[in-house]
Short mmCIF file of all heavy atoms in Angstrom, two decimals:
data_model
loop_
_atom_site.label_atom_id
_atom_site.label_comp_id
_atom_site.label_asym_id
_atom_site.label_seq_id
_atom_site.Cartn_x
_atom_site.Cartn_y
_atom_site.Cartn_z
N TRP A 2 63.23 101.74 74.86
CA TRP A 2 63.95 100.50 75.13
C TRP A 2 64.49 100.49 76.55
O TRP A 2 64.41 99.49 77.26
CB TRP A 2 65.08 100.33 74.13
CG TRP A 2 65.98 99.17 74.43
CD1 TRP A 2 65.73 97.85 74.20
CD2 TRP A 2 67.26 99.23 75.07
NE1 TRP A 2 66.77 97.07 74.64
CE2 TRP A 2 67.73 97.90 75.16
CE3 TRP A 2 68.06 100.27 75.54
CZ2 TRP A 2 68.97 97.60 75.73
CZ3 TRP A 2 69.29 99.97 76.10
CH2 TRP A 2 69.73 98.65 76.19
N LEU A 3 65.02 101.64 77.00
CA LEU A 3 65.55 101.74 78.36
C LEU A 3 64.44 101.56 79.40
O LEU A 3 64.65 100.95 80.45
CB LEU A 3 66.25 103.08 78.57
CG LEU A 3 67.66 103.21 77.99
CD1 LEU A 3 68.18 104.63 78.19
CD2 LEU A 3 68.61 102.21 78.64
N ASN A 4 63.26 102.11 79.10
CA ASN A 4 62.14 101.96 80.03
C ASN A 4 61.74 100.49 80.18
O ASN A 4 61.45 100.01 81.28
CB ASN A 4 60.94 102.78 79.55
CG ASN A 4 61.19 104.27 79.66
OD1 ASN A 4 62.01 104.71 80.46
ND2 ASN A 4 60.48 105.05 78.86
N LEU A 5 61.71 99.77 79.05
CA LEU A 5 61.39 98.35 79.09
C LEU A 5 62.44 97.58 79.87
O LEU A 5 62.12 96.69 80.65
CB LEU A 5 61.27 97.80 77.67
CG LEU A 5 60.06 98.24 76.85
CD1 LEU A 5 60.18 97.73 75.43
CD2 LEU A 5 58.77 97.73 77.49
N LYS A 6 63.70 97.93 79.65
CA LYS A 6 64.79 97.23 80.32
C LYS A 6 64.77 97.48 81.82
O LYS A 6 64.99 96.58 82.62
CB LYS A 6 66.13 97.67 79.73
CG LYS A 6 67.32 96.83 80.18
CD LYS A 6 68.57 97.25 79.44
CE LYS A 6 69.75 96.39 79.86
NZ LYS A 6 69.57 94.96 79.48
N SER A 7 64.47 98.74 82.19
CA SER A 7 64.46 99.09 83.61
C SER A 7 63.30 98.44 84.36
O SER A 7 63.37 98.21 85.56
CB SER A 7 64.40 100.61 83.78
OG SER A 7 63.19 101.12 83.24
N THR A 8 62.20 98.14 83.64
CA THR A 8 61.04 97.51 84.28
C THR A 8 61.02 96.00 84.08
O THR A 8 60.03 95.34 84.36
CB THR A 8 59.74 98.10 83.72
OG1 THR A 8 59.72 97.95 82.29
CG2 THR A 8 59.62 99.58 84.07
N GLN A 9 62.17 95.46 83.53
CA GLN A 9 62.34 94.03 83.32
C GLN A 9 61.27 93.44 82.39
O GLN A 9 60.87 92.29 82.54
CB GLN A 9 62.35 93.29 84.67
CG GLN A 9 63.50 93.69 85.58
CD GLN A 9 63.52 92.89 86.87
OE1 GLN A 9 62.54 92.28 87.25
NE2 GLN A 9 64.66 92.89 87.54
N GLN A 10 60.79 94.24 81.47
CA GLN A 10 59.87 93.74 80.46
C GLN A 10 60.67 93.15 79.30
O GLN A 10 61.90 93.16 79.32
CB GLN A 10 58.95 94.86 79.98
CG GLN A 10 58.03 95.41 81.07
CD GLN A 10 57.05 96.42 80.53
OE1 GLN A 10 56.48 96.25 79.47
NE2 GLN A 10 56.85 97.50 81.28
N ASN A 11 59.96 92.66 78.30
CA ASN A 11 60.63 91.94 77.21
C ASN A 11 61.28 92.93 76.24
O ASN A 11 60.70 93.26 75.20
CB ASN A 11 59.62 91.05 76.49
CG ASN A 11 60.32 90.02 75.62
OD1 ASN A 11 61.50 90.17 75.27
ND2 ASN A 11 59.60 88.98 75.26
N ASP A 12 62.48 93.42 76.58
CA ASP A 12 63.17 94.36 75.71
C ASP A 12 63.67 93.68 74.44
O ASP A 12 63.80 94.32 73.40
CB ASP A 12 64.33 95.03 76.44
CG ASP A 12 65.33 94.03 76.98
OD1 ASP A 12 64.90 93.01 77.55
OD2 ASP A 12 66.55 94.25 76.81
N ARG A 13 63.94 92.37 74.51
CA ARG A 13 64.38 91.66 73.30
C ARG A 13 63.26 91.63 72.25
O ARG A 13 63.52 91.81 71.06
CB ARG A 13 64.80 90.23 73.66
CG ARG A 13 65.32 89.43 72.47
CD ARG A 13 65.79 88.06 72.90
NE ARG A 13 66.94 88.14 73.77
CZ ARG A 13 68.20 88.26 73.35
NH1 ARG A 13 68.45 88.35 72.04
NH2 ARG A 13 69.19 88.31 74.20
N LYS A 14 62.03 91.43 72.69
CA LYS A 14 60.89 91.42 71.77
C LYS A 14 60.73 92.79 71.12
O LYS A 14 60.43 92.89 69.93
CB LYS A 14 59.62 91.03 72.52
CG LYS A 14 58.39 90.95 71.62
CD LYS A 14 57.16 90.54 72.42
CE LYS A 14 55.93 90.48 71.52
NZ LYS A 14 54.71 90.11 72.29
N PHE A 15 60.94 93.85 71.91
CA PHE A 15 60.85 95.21 71.38
C PHE A 15 61.88 95.40 70.26
O PHE A 15 61.57 95.97 69.20
CB PHE A 15 61.10 96.23 72.50
CG PHE A 15 61.24 97.65 72.02
CD1 PHE A 15 60.12 98.44 71.79
CD2 PHE A 15 62.49 98.20 71.80
CE1 PHE A 15 60.26 99.75 71.35
CE2 PHE A 15 62.64 99.50 71.36
CZ PHE A 15 61.51 100.28 71.13
N CYS A 16 63.09 94.93 70.48
CA CYS A 16 64.15 95.06 69.47
C CYS A 16 63.80 94.30 68.20
O CYS A 16 64.01 94.80 67.09
CB CYS A 16 65.49 94.56 70.04
SG CYS A 16 66.18 95.60 71.33
N GLU A 17 63.25 93.12 68.35
CA GLU A 17 62.88 92.32 67.18
C GLU A 17 61.77 92.99 66.39
O GLU A 17 61.80 93.00 65.15
CB GLU A 17 62.44 90.92 67.63
CG GLU A 17 63.58 90.08 68.19
CD GLU A 17 63.10 88.75 68.76
OE1 GLU A 17 61.85 88.57 68.83
OE2 GLU A 17 63.94 87.91 69.12
N GLU A 18 60.78 93.54 67.08
CA GLU A 18 59.65 94.18 66.39
C GLU A 18 60.06 95.46 65.66
O GLU A 18 59.44 95.84 64.67
CB GLU A 18 58.55 94.50 67.41
CG GLU A 18 57.85 93.27 67.95
CD GLU A 18 56.82 93.63 69.01
OE1 GLU A 18 56.80 94.81 69.45
OE2 GLU A 18 56.02 92.74 69.40
N HIS A 19 61.12 96.12 66.14
CA HIS A 19 61.56 97.38 65.53
C HIS A 19 62.87 97.22 64.75
O HIS A 19 63.52 98.21 64.42
CB HIS A 19 61.72 98.45 66.61
CG HIS A 19 60.43 98.88 67.23
ND1 HIS A 19 59.82 98.17 68.24
CD2 HIS A 19 59.62 99.95 66.97
CE1 HIS A 19 58.69 98.77 68.59
NE2 HIS A 19 58.55 99.84 67.84
N PHE A 20 63.25 95.97 64.46
CA PHE A 20 64.44 95.67 63.65
C PHE A 20 65.70 96.33 64.22
O PHE A 20 66.50 96.93 63.50
CB PHE A 20 64.22 96.13 62.19
CG PHE A 20 62.98 95.56 61.57
CD1 PHE A 20 61.82 96.33 61.47
CD2 PHE A 20 62.95 94.25 61.11
CE1 PHE A 20 60.67 95.81 60.91
CE2 PHE A 20 61.80 93.72 60.54
CZ PHE A 20 60.66 94.50 60.45
N ILE A 21 65.86 96.19 65.53
CA ILE A 21 67.02 96.77 66.23
C ILE A 21 67.87 95.62 66.78
O ILE A 21 67.35 94.67 67.34
CB ILE A 21 66.57 97.68 67.39
CG1 ILE A 21 65.75 98.85 66.86
CG2 ILE A 21 67.78 98.21 68.16
CD1 ILE A 21 65.11 99.69 67.96
N SER A 22 69.17 95.72 66.62
CA SER A 22 70.08 94.73 67.18
C SER A 22 70.26 95.01 68.67
O SER A 22 70.71 96.09 69.06
CB SER A 22 71.44 94.79 66.47
OG SER A 22 72.40 94.03 67.18
N LYS A 23 69.89 94.05 69.51
CA LYS A 23 70.01 94.23 70.96
C LYS A 23 71.46 94.43 71.37
O LYS A 23 71.77 95.26 72.23
CB LYS A 23 69.41 93.03 71.69
CG LYS A 23 69.29 93.23 73.21
CD LYS A 23 68.55 92.06 73.83
CE LYS A 23 68.31 92.31 75.32
NZ LYS A 23 69.57 92.40 76.09
N ASN A 24 72.38 93.71 70.73
CA ASN A 24 73.79 93.86 71.05
C ASN A 24 74.30 95.25 70.69
O ASN A 24 75.07 95.87 71.44
CB ASN A 24 74.62 92.80 70.33
CG ASN A 24 74.37 91.40 70.87
OD1 ASN A 24 73.98 91.24 72.03
ND2 ASN A 24 74.58 90.40 70.04
N HIS A 25 73.85 95.76 69.54
CA HIS A 25 74.29 97.08 69.10
C HIS A 25 73.76 98.17 70.03
O HIS A 25 74.49 99.11 70.37
CB HIS A 25 73.83 97.34 67.66
CG HIS A 25 74.60 96.58 66.64
ND1 HIS A 25 74.27 96.54 65.30
CD2 HIS A 25 75.71 95.80 66.77
CE1 HIS A 25 75.13 95.78 64.66
NE2 HIS A 25 76.00 95.32 65.52
N ILE A 26 72.51 98.05 70.42
CA ILE A 26 71.93 99.10 71.27
C ILE A 26 72.55 99.05 72.67
O ILE A 26 72.72 100.09 73.32
CB ILE A 26 70.39 98.97 71.33
CG1 ILE A 26 69.78 100.32 71.74
CG2 ILE A 26 69.93 97.87 72.24
CD1 ILE A 26 68.29 100.39 71.56
N GLU A 27 72.93 97.86 73.13
CA GLU A 27 73.66 97.76 74.39
C GLU A 27 75.03 98.44 74.26
O GLU A 27 75.50 99.12 75.20
CB GLU A 27 73.84 96.29 74.78
CG GLU A 27 72.56 95.59 75.22
CD GLU A 27 72.24 95.84 76.69
OE1 GLU A 27 72.85 96.76 77.27
OE2 GLU A 27 71.36 95.14 77.22
N HIS A 28 75.66 98.25 73.11
CA HIS A 28 76.96 98.87 72.85
C HIS A 28 76.83 100.39 72.83
O HIS A 28 77.66 101.11 73.41
CB HIS A 28 77.52 98.37 71.52
CG HIS A 28 78.87 98.91 71.18
ND1 HIS A 28 79.99 98.68 71.95
CD2 HIS A 28 79.27 99.70 70.15
CE1 HIS A 28 81.04 99.28 71.41
NE2 HIS A 28 80.62 99.91 70.32
N VAL A 29 75.79 100.89 72.19
CA VAL A 29 75.54 102.34 72.14
C VAL A 29 75.30 102.89 73.54
O VAL A 29 75.80 103.96 73.90
CB VAL A 29 74.33 102.65 71.22
CG1 VAL A 29 73.90 104.10 71.38
CG2 VAL A 29 74.67 102.35 69.78
N ARG A 30 74.56 102.14 74.34
CA ARG A 30 74.29 102.57 75.72
C ARG A 30 75.60 102.67 76.51
O ARG A 30 75.80 103.62 77.28
CB ARG A 30 73.35 101.57 76.38
CG ARG A 30 72.91 102.01 77.78
CD ARG A 30 72.21 100.87 78.49
NE ARG A 30 71.72 101.28 79.80
CZ ARG A 30 71.41 100.43 80.78
NH1 ARG A 30 71.50 99.13 80.57
NH2 ARG A 30 70.98 100.87 81.93
N GLY A 31 76.50 101.72 76.30
CA GLY A 31 77.79 101.75 76.99
C GLY A 31 78.62 102.95 76.59
O GLY A 31 79.24 103.61 77.44
N ILE A 32 78.64 103.25 75.28
CA ILE A 32 79.38 104.42 74.79
C ILE A 32 78.79 105.70 75.35
O ILE A 32 79.50 106.64 75.74
CB ILE A 32 79.37 104.45 73.25
CG1 ILE A 32 80.16 103.26 72.68
CG2 ILE A 32 79.95 105.77 72.73
CD1 ILE A 32 80.12 103.15 71.18
N ARG A 33 77.45 105.74 75.41
CA ARG A 33 76.77 106.92 75.94
C ARG A 33 77.18 107.18 77.39
O ARG A 33 77.47 108.32 77.78
CB ARG A 33 75.26 106.71 75.84
CG ARG A 33 74.40 107.82 76.43
CD ARG A 33 72.92 107.48 76.25
NE ARG A 33 72.07 108.49 76.85
CZ ARG A 33 71.68 108.49 78.13
NH1 ARG A 33 72.09 107.51 78.93
NH2 ARG A 33 70.90 109.44 78.59
N LYS A 34 77.20 106.12 78.20
CA LYS A 34 77.59 106.27 79.59
C LYS A 34 79.05 106.70 79.72
O LYS A 34 79.41 107.51 80.59
CB LYS A 34 77.37 104.95 80.34
CG LYS A 34 75.90 104.55 80.48
CD LYS A 34 75.73 103.21 81.13
CE LYS A 34 76.20 103.22 82.57
NZ LYS A 34 75.94 101.90 83.24
N GLN A 35 79.90 106.18 78.83
CA GLN A 35 81.31 106.53 78.86
C GLN A 35 81.52 108.01 78.52
O GLN A 35 82.27 108.72 79.20
CB GLN A 35 82.09 105.66 77.88
CG GLN A 35 83.59 105.79 77.97
CD GLN A 35 84.30 104.82 77.05
OE1 GLN A 35 83.73 104.33 76.08
NE2 GLN A 35 85.56 104.53 77.35
N ILE A 36 80.84 108.48 77.47
CA ILE A 36 80.95 109.89 77.08
C ILE A 36 80.42 110.81 78.18
O ILE A 36 81.03 111.84 78.50
CB ILE A 36 80.19 110.13 75.76
CG1 ILE A 36 80.89 109.41 74.60
CG2 ILE A 36 80.11 111.64 75.46
CD1 ILE A 36 80.14 109.49 73.30
N LEU A 37 79.29 110.42 78.78
CA LEU A 37 78.72 111.21 79.86
C LEU A 37 79.69 111.30 81.03
O LEU A 37 79.84 112.36 81.66
CB LEU A 37 77.39 110.61 80.31
CG LEU A 37 76.64 111.35 81.44
CD1 LEU A 37 76.33 112.78 81.02
CD2 LEU A 37 75.37 110.61 81.81
N GLY A 38 80.37 110.20 81.31
CA GLY A 38 81.36 110.20 82.39
C GLY A 38 82.51 111.16 82.11
O GLY A 38 82.95 111.90 83.01
N TYR A 39 82.99 111.18 80.86
CA TYR A 39 84.06 112.10 80.48
C TYR A 39 83.61 113.55 80.63
O TYR A 39 84.36 114.41 81.10
CB TYR A 39 84.51 111.85 79.05
CG TYR A 39 85.27 110.55 78.85
CD1 TYR A 39 85.15 109.83 77.65
CD2 TYR A 39 86.09 110.04 79.84
CE1 TYR A 39 85.84 108.65 77.47
CE2 TYR A 39 86.78 108.85 79.66
CZ TYR A 39 86.65 108.16 78.48
OH TYR A 39 87.34 106.98 78.28
N LEU A 40 82.38 113.83 80.19
CA LEU A 40 81.85 115.20 80.27
C LEU A 40 81.70 115.65 81.72
O LEU A 40 81.97 116.80 82.05
CB LEU A 40 80.51 115.29 79.53
CG LEU A 40 80.57 115.11 78.01
CD1 LEU A 40 79.16 115.08 77.43
CD2 LEU A 40 81.36 116.24 77.36
N GLU A 41 81.27 114.74 82.58
CA GLU A 41 81.12 115.07 84.00
C GLU A 41 82.48 115.32 84.64
O GLU A 41 82.64 116.25 85.43
CB GLU A 41 80.39 113.94 84.72
CG GLU A 41 78.90 113.85 84.38
CD GLU A 41 78.23 112.68 85.05
OE1 GLU A 41 78.97 111.82 85.65
OE2 GLU A 41 76.99 112.58 84.99
N GLN A 42 83.49 114.50 84.28
CA GLN A 42 84.83 114.69 84.82
C GLN A 42 85.43 116.01 84.37
O GLN A 42 86.23 116.63 85.09
CB GLN A 42 85.74 113.53 84.39
CG GLN A 42 85.41 112.20 85.03
CD GLN A 42 86.26 111.07 84.49
OE1 GLN A 42 87.30 111.29 83.86
NE2 GLN A 42 85.83 109.84 84.74
N SER A 43 85.05 116.45 83.18
CA SER A 43 85.57 117.72 82.64
C SER A 43 84.76 118.91 83.11
O SER A 43 85.05 120.05 82.73
CB SER A 43 85.55 117.68 81.10
OG SER A 43 86.31 116.60 80.61
N ASP A 44 83.73 118.66 83.92
CA ASP A 44 82.84 119.71 84.43
C ASP A 44 82.09 120.45 83.33
O ASP A 44 81.65 121.58 83.51
CB ASP A 44 83.63 120.74 85.27
CG ASP A 44 84.16 120.14 86.56
OD1 ASP A 44 83.49 119.25 87.10
OD2 ASP A 44 85.25 120.55 87.00
N LEU A 45 81.93 119.79 82.17
CA LEU A 45 81.17 120.40 81.08
C LEU A 45 79.67 120.21 81.28
O LEU A 45 78.87 121.00 80.78
CB LEU A 45 81.59 119.82 79.73
CG LEU A 45 82.95 120.30 79.19
CD1 LEU A 45 83.34 119.52 77.95
CD2 LEU A 45 82.91 121.79 78.89
N VAL A 46 79.29 119.16 81.99
CA VAL A 46 77.88 118.94 82.30
C VAL A 46 77.75 118.57 83.77
O VAL A 46 78.70 118.06 84.39
CB VAL A 46 77.26 117.82 81.43
CG1 VAL A 46 77.33 118.17 79.96
CG2 VAL A 46 77.94 116.49 81.70
N SER A 47 76.59 118.81 84.33
CA SER A 47 76.33 118.44 85.71
C SER A 47 75.74 117.04 85.75
O SER A 47 75.49 116.42 84.72
CB SER A 47 75.36 119.44 86.35
OG SER A 47 74.08 119.32 85.74
N LYS A 48 75.52 116.54 86.96
CA LYS A 48 74.92 115.22 87.11
C LYS A 48 73.40 115.29 87.19
O LYS A 48 72.74 114.30 87.49
CB LYS A 48 75.48 114.53 88.35
CG LYS A 48 76.97 114.22 88.22
CD LYS A 48 77.49 113.46 89.42
CE LYS A 48 78.97 113.13 89.26
NZ LYS A 48 79.50 112.37 90.42
N ASN A 49 72.85 116.47 86.92
CA ASN A 49 71.40 116.67 86.92
C ASN A 49 70.82 116.11 85.63
O ASN A 49 70.82 116.77 84.59
CB ASN A 49 71.07 118.15 87.06
CG ASN A 49 69.58 118.40 87.19
OD1 ASN A 49 68.76 117.54 86.89
ND2 ASN A 49 69.22 119.59 87.62
N GLN A 50 70.36 114.87 85.66
CA GLN A 50 69.86 114.21 84.46
C GLN A 50 68.63 114.89 83.87
O GLN A 50 68.44 114.92 82.66
CB GLN A 50 69.54 112.75 84.76
CG GLN A 50 70.75 111.92 85.13
CD GLN A 50 71.70 111.76 83.96
OE1 GLN A 50 71.29 111.44 82.85
NE2 GLN A 50 72.99 111.96 84.21
N ASN A 51 67.78 115.45 84.73
CA ASN A 51 66.57 116.12 84.23
C ASN A 51 66.93 117.31 83.36
O ASN A 51 66.31 117.54 82.32
CB ASN A 51 65.71 116.57 85.41
CG ASN A 51 65.08 115.41 86.16
OD1 ASN A 51 64.83 114.36 85.57
ND2 ASN A 51 64.86 115.59 87.44
N GLN A 52 67.95 118.07 83.77
CA GLN A 52 68.37 119.22 82.99
C GLN A 52 69.00 118.79 81.67
O GLN A 52 68.74 119.36 80.62
CB GLN A 52 69.39 120.05 83.78
CG GLN A 52 69.85 121.32 83.05
CD GLN A 52 70.91 122.07 83.84
OE1 GLN A 52 71.51 121.54 84.76
NE2 GLN A 52 71.12 123.32 83.49
N LEU A 53 69.80 117.71 81.71
CA LEU A 53 70.46 117.23 80.50
C LEU A 53 69.47 116.67 79.49
O LEU A 53 69.69 116.73 78.29
CB LEU A 53 71.49 116.15 80.86
CG LEU A 53 72.69 116.58 81.70
CD1 LEU A 53 73.58 115.39 82.01
CD2 LEU A 53 73.50 117.65 80.97
#
Side-chain angles (χ1 to χ4, degrees):
W2 173 77
L3 282 176
N4 291 336
L5 289 174
K6 190 174 181 64
S7 63
T8 56
Q9 297 183 342
Q10 296 185 43
N11 196 341
D12 58 316
R13 182 177 294 277
K14 182 179 179 181
F15 172 84
C16 291
E17 291 174 353
E18 290 177 349
H19 292 82
F20 305 101
I21 299 172
S22 168
K23 189 174 186 296
N24 291 335
H25 286 173
I26 202 168
E27 289 277 14
H28 182 62
V29 169
R30 185 191 183 199
I32 294 176
R33 177 180 178 273
K34 293 176 65 176
Q35 188 176 22
I36 292 174
L37 181 59
Y39 289 146
L40 293 174
E41 288 177 351
Q42 291 175 16
S43 302
D44 292 327
L45 285 173
V46 299
S47 67
K48 294 184 179 180
N49 185 344
Q50 295 293 313
N51 291 331
Q52 182 183 17
L53 294 178

